[in-house]
Amino acid sequence: TGIKVVDLIAKDLNELLQKCDGREVKLASGKKIVLKTEGALLQKAPMSLRQRILDILINPNIAYLLMMLGFYGLLFEITHPGVWFPGVAGLICLILALYAFHTLPTNYAGLALILLAMALFVAEAFVTSYGLLAMVGIVSLLLGSLFLVDSTAEFMQISLKLIVPVVASTAFLFVFLATLALRAHRRKSPSGVEALVGAVGVLDSDGKFSVGGELWDVISSEPIRPGDPVEVTAV
């Protein structure tokens, strides 16, 4: 293209060393040296175990997945106290994810949106909003996931093929939980005064109404005899 941004092209390392031989380069200190690379002895420095682990963790998709697993583990522990394994495993995943995001170009606005989503999910577990808090949390999770890594390079971005299933699974989970909560709210109470209305029992020989293992006095506008079935209309 004429802009001279490439010094030379080599098909392999040996050819590169041959072409670099005799070239003059300027060091950061200002000193100029001549490279003598032809026939140089090659020594490879393999990555340490720590570097290999970090190389895996700094993959944006792996870091994102670890973070979500960590949040879900802590969320399960909060909503089901005493089940220690999900909480401990979630905390480990979260620490590894934060370590990875420390080296990635993380957008903290995206991270804040994901934290907000998790807070809304926890609130949904304790506040009956019929799924409203969960829906807002899902939107926050989607936006936070899209904004989490601030890079124009495609290999440094979280894949949509990962974000969509994670957000969709989260939406399905909390819609399912909200549906269960709504059904439980509408379900008739199995005990107390509410459970008596509509119940059918038998009048015993002492004139007591027997229902659900309890004895009650009854008032009836019609004459009833011991052994007659009786339906409760009011308490």
Side-chain angles (χ1 to χ4, degrees), residues 52-214:
R52 290 198 299 268
I53 294 175
L54 180 59
D55 184 53
I56 295 173
L57 292 179
I58 60 176
N59 183 316
N61 295 314
I62 299 296
Y64 174 72
L65 191 58
L66 284 172
M67 182 180 66
M68 297 308 302
L69 290 175
F71 280 136
Y72 290 144
L74 293 179
L75 180 62
F76 188 88
E77 182 67 29
I78 291 173
T79 55
H80 299 78
V83 186
W84 58 269
F85 178 75
V88 174
L91 188 60
I92 292 174
C93 290
L94 196 57
I95 291 174
L96 291 175
L98 292 177
Y99 178 67
F101 280 119
H102 178 69
T103 64
L104 293 171
T106 305
N107 185 334
Y108 290 100
L111 183 59
L113 284 170
I114 293 177
L115 291 174
L116 174 61
M118 294 303 139
L120 292 172
F121 293 153
V122 173
E124 177 66 33
F126 295 98
V127 178
T128 306
S129 68
Y130 304 107
L132 179 60
L133 291 178
M135 291 298 103
V136 177
I138 290 168
V139 174
S140 180
L141 176 61
L142 177 60
L143 293 176
S145 300
L146 293 173
F147 299 155
L148 184 58
V149 177
D150 188 10
S151 174
T152 56
E154 185 176 352
F155 70 94
M156 290 291 287
Q157 297 174 357
I158 302 174
S159 174
L160 279 176
K161 294 181 180 179
L162 178 62
I163 293 176
V164 172
V166 167
V167 175
S169 299
T170 304
F172 174 80
L173 174 64
F174 282 94
V175 167
F176 175 72
L177 294 178
T179 301
L180 291 182
L182 182 60
R183 289 178 180 176
H185 180 76
R186 292 177 175 177
R187 189 180 301 125
K188 185 179 179 180
S189 175
S191 61
V193 174
E194 294 180 0
L196 290 175
V197 178
V200 177
V202 178
L203 196 69
D204 65 14
S205 58
D206 296 327
K208 298 289 187 178
F209 174 60
S210 176
V211 61
E214 299 175 337

Side-chain angles (χ1 to χ4, degrees), residues 24-34:
E24 185 179 75
V25 296
K26 185 177 182 181
L27 303 179
S29 61
K31 181 181 177 180
K32 294 183 178 180
I33 63 172
V34 177

